[in-house]
Amino acid sequence: MRLLKIPAGEIPAFRRRLLRWFAEHKRDLPWRRTRDPYRIWLSEIMLQQTRVAAVIPYFERFLEAFPDVRALARARTDRVLALWAGLGYYSRAKNLQRAAKEIVARHDGKFPRNYEEALALPGIGRYTAAAVLSIAYEGPHAVLDGNVARVLARIGALEGDLRAPGMWRKLESEAQNLLARNVSGDWNQAMMELGATVCTPKSPQCGECPVEKWCRARKLGIAEKLPAVRKKRATVDLTLAAAVLLDPQGRTLLVRQLDGEGALFSRMWQFPALETKGSDAGATLAAHLLKEFGVARNGNFAPLSTARHTVTFRNIRLEPYLVHVARLPRVKGARVIALSEIRGLPISNATQKIADSAIARQVG
Ligand code: SF4
């Protein structure tokens, strides 16, 4: 039993309408001017959790530095992360490079055409595999992302949480049933484009919709109420106390956390910092600096302006301190660099905010 209830005999007309609309209305985006799987894959990874307008300059800079999969595979990870800095969700960049190395080692530098092989690459889930294989190779795989799921839910007037166990699989099956297999790349992009530009979460433009005729939510007048709002994961509040150590030459010390649980900015350069729970973050940080770096608190501790930063479900209050030292401590694996030059390194937005605050203090 199909959820969408589009009569089988009308599916060809549904496809024709949507594809014609896409041909006329699609946005001109840099990754739509190519069938190169590397470029399509890169765009798909960058677009996860990030708006199109924000992605475009990153996409172009990244390709200038790493024009093909081999260039990405042999690049220094630091350089990859530096070009990703500001996009957030850095595990995407790390997985991208790991996958590039596997593609070079196991697939002769070509993105695999086989769905299971694509799925086996780091950072590639069902959605990304279907998107790259269909757009680059016309592979017969329908995509299902938030935009497509919303369109399907409205067409079928489906109530309930779309991400609930079982429901997502049913939607995948519905998407696969609708897929125009001979033009799967355009089809998938058309479905996503409809969700992104017409069948938007708030105020869908049903009057502009090429498939309005088949939409049950529109008929029932409930389009804006669907899909049901998901319960959000509760956010966790935490305070991160950070020390901008500064020597008389204006140099500072940066350290790096390794991957793994609890690493807020794994593999990114950051100021020495720790999570604090009590009210006196400064005292906790001072004790940490003395224990880990041998830096004593001698009236050299100046609080900088605090800032807010969000990483997935964590709501972080940044509490930075400027700590003047006669000499920076020697720390294995740490990096000494002029405070004014850290922007060129792979750092998180949080680290950049702290650096800006320290620089403003020096100038002011
Ligand atoms: Fe979405 Fe409206 Fe089109 Fe239905 S008619 S698919 S609600 S835009």
Side-chain angles (χ1 to χ4, degrees):
M1 177 67 179
R2 286 281 157 209
L3 292 179
L4 299 194
K5 304 201 172 59
I6 302 173
E10 293 184 25
I11 288 181
F14 181 102
R15 290 179 182 143
R16 275 197 305 278
R17 288 255 189 118
L18 183 61
L19 286 166
R20 196 181 316 133
W21 169 84
F22 181 63
E24 285 167 12
H25 294 91
K26 67 181 172 192
R27 291 168 292 174
D28 178 28
L29 302 174
W31 45 89
R32 286 200 174 144
R33 297 175 208 144
T34 177
R35 289 273 165 147
D36 174 8
Y38 171 64
R39 284 170 163 69
I40 291 158
W41 167 40
L42 175 65
S43 72
E44 290 296 342
I45 300 294
M46 285 188 164
L47 286 165
Q48 289 167 12
Q49 328 269 356
T50 310
R51 287 174 308 108
V52 166
V55 163
I56 291 174
Y58 281 91
F59 178 78
E60 287 173 345
R61 277 198 297 269
F62 202 90
L63 283 175
E64 256 175 51
F66 314 119
D68 56 40
V69 74
R70 290 184 191 278
L72 176 58
R74 63 175 175 259
R76 284 184 43 207
T77 305
D78 261 13
R79 177 124 173 77
V80 176
L81 292 175
L83 281 160
W84 205 271
L87 268 182
Y89 301 97
Y90 295 92
S91 57
R92 294 183 296 175
K94 292 175 221 158
N95 281 332
L96 189 75
Q97 195 186 28
R98 280 188 204 126
K101 288 181 178 169
E102 279 194 28
I103 290 171
V104 170
R106 297 203 196 144
H107 303 285
D108 193 25
K110 294 186 188 72
F111 196 95
R113 285 173 176 264
N114 176 283
Y115 181 75
E116 302 302 329
E117 286 178 357
L119 212 50
L121 294 168
I124 301 217
R126 299 158 72 87
Y127 164 78
T128 310
V132 178
L133 296 188
S134 62
I135 300 169
Y137 302 136
E138 299 291 4
H141 312 284
V143 296
L144 183 67
D145 68 349
N147 279 328
V148 176
R150 183 173 58 256
V151 171
L152 296 178
R154 286 174 173 166
I155 288 173
L158 309 177
E159 313 260 359
D161 182 357
L162 303 185
R163 305 253 177 189
M167 185 54 156
W168 196 257
R169 285 297 163 105
K170 284 185 190 157
L171 289 171
E172 281 181 329
S173 160
E174 293 299 327
Q176 192 63 32
N177 184 50
L178 284 181
L179 178 72
R181 288 173 161 252
N182 54 338
V183 284
S184 59
D186 272 1
W187 174 261
N188 279 333
Q189 293 184 82
M191 286 291 282
M192 292 191 277
E193 190 82 342
L194 186 69
T197 63
V198 174
C199 194
T200 47
K202 288 178 195 151
S203 317
Q205 321 272 302
C206 300
E208 315 281 315
C209 179
V211 294
E212 181 193 6
K213 176 180 167 192
W214 292 278
C215 182
R216 297 185 72 223
R218 165 74 158 156
K219 272 192 200 100
L220 297 168
I222 56 170
E224 294 194 19
K225 297 202 181 88
L226 295 179
V229 181
R230 295 189 73 208
K231 285 198 194 102
K232 281 198 181 150
R233 179 171 180 175
T235 55
V236 175
D237 291 325
L238 61 94
T239 298
L240 196 70
V244 182
L245 300 172
L246 200 66
D247 75 3
Q249 287 78 42
R251 297 177 308 175
T252 192
L253 182 92
L254 297 176
V255 294
R256 242 188 327 193
Q257 280 178 310
L258 296 175
D259 291 333
E261 276 210 49
L264 273 178
F265 313 113
S266 64
R267 299 200 58 186
M268 311 290 284
W269 290 105
Q270 63 177 87
F271 297 108
L274 84 165
E275 278 182 49
T276 62
K277 297 213 168 58
S279 54
D280 195 349
T284 313
L285 182 65
H288 176 71
L289 290 180
L290 184 60
K291 182 166 170 251
E292 298 295 328
F293 302 103
V295 173
R297 182 173 189 169
N298 297 320
N300 53 354
F301 236 69
L304 295 167
S305 40
T306 58
R308 292 259 162 217
H309 184 72
T310 307
V311 179
T312 54
F313 59 91
R314 284 173 287 208
N315 197 0
I316 304 167
R317 180 172 180 275
L318 299 170
E319 200 167 319
Y321 292 81
L322 186 60
V323 182
H324 286 283
V325 290
R327 209 174 303 116
L328 291 167
R330 285 172 161 272
V331 181
K332 194 162 171 252
R335 186 153 185 171
V336 171
I337 187 169
L339 181 59
S340 55
E341 288 175 7
I342 72 169
R343 201 177 276 276
L345 295 178
I347 57 172
S348 70
N349 284 340
T351 302
Q352 188 60 54
K353 281 180 198 169
I354 296 171
D356 290 345
S357 174
I359 290 167
R361 167 64 65 93
Q362 282 182 291
V363 174

